[in-house]
Amino acid sequence: MLVPKLFTCFKSYNKEQFVKDFISGLIVAVIALPLSIALAIASGVSPEKGLYTAIVAGFLISLFGGSKVQIGGPTGAFVIIVYGIIQKYGIDGLTIATLMAGIFLILMGIFKCGNMIKYIPYPITTGFTSGIAITIFSTQIKDFFGLNIQVPSEFIHKWAVYFKNMNSINTQSLIIGIISILIIVLCPKINQKIPPTLIAIIVSTLLAIIFNFNIDTIGSRFGEIPSQFPKMHIPTLNFDTMIKLIPAAITIAILAGVESLLSAVVADGMIGGSHRSNMELIAQGLGNIGSALFGGIPATGAIARTAANIKNGGRTPVSGIIHSITLVFFMVILMPYIKLIPMASLSAILIIVSYNMGEWDTFKRLKKFPKSDSIVFITVFVLTIFFDLVLAIGVGIVLASFLFMKRMADVTDVKSILYTYEHIEDDAFMYKVQIPKDIYLYEINGPFFFGAADKFVKTIRDMQNLPKVLILKMSNVPAMDATAYNALETTYELCERNGTKLLILDIQFQPLQVLKKYEFINNSNKDILFKDFDRAFEKALCIVSNHYDKQSDLPNIPKPSMDLC
């Protein structure tokens, strides 16, 4: 249903819930303030762009979203891809890619792809999430240790430069970084009401001012930061650049879709609700388009902020709207003070973010995974770290698809029953049927698709002599594709050339529809279909008996029913 949750919530909205939403929105805004700034800097853009994203995208995602409690904004998942786009195409390139991603997300919602995104395999999502966590961590070493160096973008070269320059650590930056981490880790054990990141920012900034530390701050790194809301800016659209940015835009769209729907599923579990996945995708698209037009970066549903919203009483999209409006006031009022925040403190926040977003338990469970899933996870993880996210997701999806097809092909088998068939009637009575040498019964078990079609064709071709009747039992075939149909048609033609009658037993609905669409089954040959084994077997006996001059040529075979002959 493409109706925003906000409209549904207003039907039973009251003053008491507004108070809860208002308080929750304020608290989430306090949490979002330092995170938005830190994620923007890590992505290679100026601090205010993170706030623009949280304000504009957060507002639109709450206004039009398919979840009651989703909080939208910048997240760690986008840091690496945003940084890479800016390095290659600049800010305008990022804006174009984000706009295109927003359009893709809207189309995905309109065409009801919300459920399809859930089919992206777990090893891929955990692989790139853990890879991104490692990459974010590696980008924060410079500011955490206060190193005055130029850092290359390649992972191995980056760490080589770090180790080479460890003798030039700024002790004051390191002290600020360590204190910030300790505050973020220990404060929740004392008081869970106040966001620990906010305490870390305030304490580290005061320490740097009081002791006059000679360290980098947001102001010394980025200069004067605007405190007013930006004007809408439409970038110059270059067709060649747009074509080059399609892979990046698709990656942003997939990441935004996957992360927002995962967040919505987690939120549903916490509040006992249900989100509208396709409406959520449309809202994510509108949020990213809005963010791009007002100078922001890609956005999606933020799991940590969404969980904080729920824990503080937020139960409708009003809390997300309040969160965005509050951030506007923070930006206007607090921006002169924001530039005093030490870069080491922001690095500490992102180091904790990278630790929390990594799926580290997955490494412990790799031995328990099927080998194919372990291969996909490790491949995506390594490619994310050493190459880029676009390549990692692309290779991961292709590899997972091939391994899935192989697994399905392995579970699909073609079994011959040449002598005795144990037939169960009415789920109770079982009797054995002696199958004569001129009748072959083959049973296909599992999905009949292109991965298993070659196995079927090879089985048929390996027959030394074709029988007078070939019965294909398809009761355990839930689905069939075009390649499998072609294999069946080839078998039918082979039987026709060799005077063999093909009978199909107990075919299921979907495979039968495929045969009808291809006109394999028509008025002239619909008599080859049988639902019941007894009838198919008697038909086979009729065909075989008609082939011989005398019935005595078929010893020990029951006399077939005349209506089938």
Side-chain angles (χ1 to χ4, degrees), residues 264-301:
V265 169
V266 171
D268 286 347
M270 295 177 72
I271 64 173
S274 61
H275 70 282
R276 297 166 185 162
S277 55
N278 295 310
M279 191 64 236
E280 184 63 26
L281 289 178
I282 292 174
Q284 295 293 332
L286 293 171
N288 276 279
I289 290 172
S291 177
L293 292 176
F294 285 93
I297 58 179
T300 184

Side-chain angles (χ1 to χ4, degrees), residues 58-71:
F59 181 84
L60 292 172
I61 288 169
S62 293
L63 184 65
F64 296 105
S67 169
K68 290 181 180 180
V69 291
Q70 183 90 279
I71 301 295

Side-chain angles (χ1 to χ4, degrees), residues 192-254:
Q192 294 187 346
K193 295 286 185 183
I194 306 173
T197 51
L198 182 66
I199 299 173
I201 289 289
I202 293 172
V203 170
S204 62
T205 303
L206 289 175
L207 285 174
I209 293 171
I210 292 169
F211 294 100
N212 195 26
F213 281 172
N214 182 25
I215 57 175
D216 272 353
T217 63
I218 290 177
S220 67
R221 178 75 59 85
F222 296 97
E224 204 61 38
I225 304 170
S227 58
Q228 69 273 13
F229 197 73
K231 294 180 180 178
M232 189 171 74
H233 168 67
I234 300 175
T236 304
L237 299 176
N238 181 285
F239 183 75
D240 291 337
T241 304
M242 289 172 67
I243 294 295
K244 292 176 183 176
L245 285 168
I246 285 176
I250 291 173
T251 304
I252 292 172
I254 291 174

Side-chain angles (χ1 to χ4, degrees), residues 176-445:
I176 290 293
I178 291 172
I179 290 173
S180 299
I181 285 180
L182 290 174
I183 290 172
I184 295 170
V185 172
L186 297 176
C187 270
K189 298 178 181 180
I190 302 169
N191 187 318
Q192 294 187 346
K193 295 286 185 183
I194 306 173
T197 51
L198 182 66
I199 299 173
I201 289 289
I202 293 172
V203 170
S204 62
T205 303
L206 289 175
L207 285 174
I209 293 171
I210 292 169
F211 294 100
N212 195 26
F213 281 172
N214 182 25
I215 57 175
D216 272 353
T217 63
I218 290 177
S220 67
R221 178 75 59 85
F222 296 97
E224 204 61 38
I225 304 170
S227 58
Q228 69 273 13
F229 197 73
K231 294 180 180 178
M232 189 171 74
H233 168 67
I234 300 175
T236 304
L237 299 176
N238 181 285
F239 183 75
D240 291 337
T241 304
M242 289 172 67
I243 294 295
K244 292 176 183 176
L245 285 168
I246 285 176
I250 291 173
T251 304
I252 292 172
I254 291 174
L255 276 178
V258 170
E259 191 166 1
S260 64
L261 294 183
L262 283 175
S263 176
V265 169
V266 171
D268 286 347
M270 295 177 72
I271 64 173
S274 61
H275 70 282
R276 297 166 185 162
S277 55
N278 295 310
M279 191 64 236
E280 184 63 26
L281 289 178
I282 292 174
Q284 295 293 332
L286 293 171
N288 276 279
I289 290 172
S291 177
L293 292 176
F294 285 93
I297 58 179
T300 184
I303 295 176
R305 276 159 271 173
T306 299
N309 181 37
I310 295 168
K311 289 176 182 177
N312 287 286
R315 288 296 181 273
T316 76
V318 172
S319 59
I321 293 171
I322 296 294
H323 136 269
S324 297
I325 295 172
T326 304
L327 283 174
V328 175
F329 285 102
F330 284 167
M331 184 178 69
V332 172
I333 297 169
L334 301 178
M335 196 58 81
Y337 305 102
I338 287 174
K339 65 182 182 181
L340 301 175
I341 297 172
M343 293 299 296
S345 185
L346 293 177
S347 291
I349 291 172
L350 286 172
I351 287 171
I352 297 296
V353 167
S354 66
Y355 175 78
N356 289 334
M357 75 183 292
E359 303 281 351
W360 313 122
D361 285 343
T362 305
F363 288 93
K364 299 177 185 177
R365 293 183 283 126
L366 274 181
K367 290 182 180 180
K368 299 178 182 178
F369 280 12
K371 187 179 289 186
S372 57
D373 288 339
S374 298
I375 291 170
V376 171
F377 173 83
I378 293 169
T379 300
V380 173
F381 175 72
V382 171
L383 289 177
T384 301
I385 294 173
F386 292 100
F387 293 93
D388 63 68
L389 199 56
V390 179
L391 179 66
I393 292 178
V395 171
I397 290 174
V398 171
L399 185 59
S401 300
F402 276 117
L403 290 171
F404 172 76
M405 288 184 285
K406 183 183 182 303
R407 194 180 304 165
M408 287 297 99
D410 288 342
V411 300
T412 302
D413 73 306
V414 183
K415 182 172 63 176
S416 65
I417 304 168
L418 299 178
Y419 305 109
T420 303
Y421 177 62
E422 294 183 348
H423 180 54
I424 301 175
E425 190 177 70
D426 299 330
D427 296 326
F429 179 66
M430 183 176 77
Y431 61 91
K432 292 185 177 181
V433 178
Q434 188 71 28
I435 301 176
K437 63 179 181 179
D438 287 300
I439 300 174
Y440 283 6
L441 173 59
Y442 275 79
E443 186 174 13
I444 305 173
N445 295 296

Side-chain angles (χ1 to χ4, degrees), residues 515-560:
L515 297 188
K516 287 181 176 179
K517 285 181 180 178
Y518 279 102
E519 298 182 353
F520 181 86
I521 300 298
N522 50 50
N523 290 329
S524 63
N525 70 347
K526 62 182 180 181
D527 62 333
I528 70 171
L529 295 179
F530 290 87
K531 188 67 180 174
D532 179 72
F533 170 77
D534 290 332
R535 303 285 284 178
F537 188 58
E538 287 186 4
K539 178 67 175 178
L541 289 175
C542 284
I543 295 167
V544 173
S545 65
N546 289 334
H547 178 75
Y548 291 89
D549 294 331
K550 298 179 181 179
Q551 189 67 30
S552 59
D553 291 332
L554 291 171
N556 303 320
I557 299 302
K559 186 177 179 180

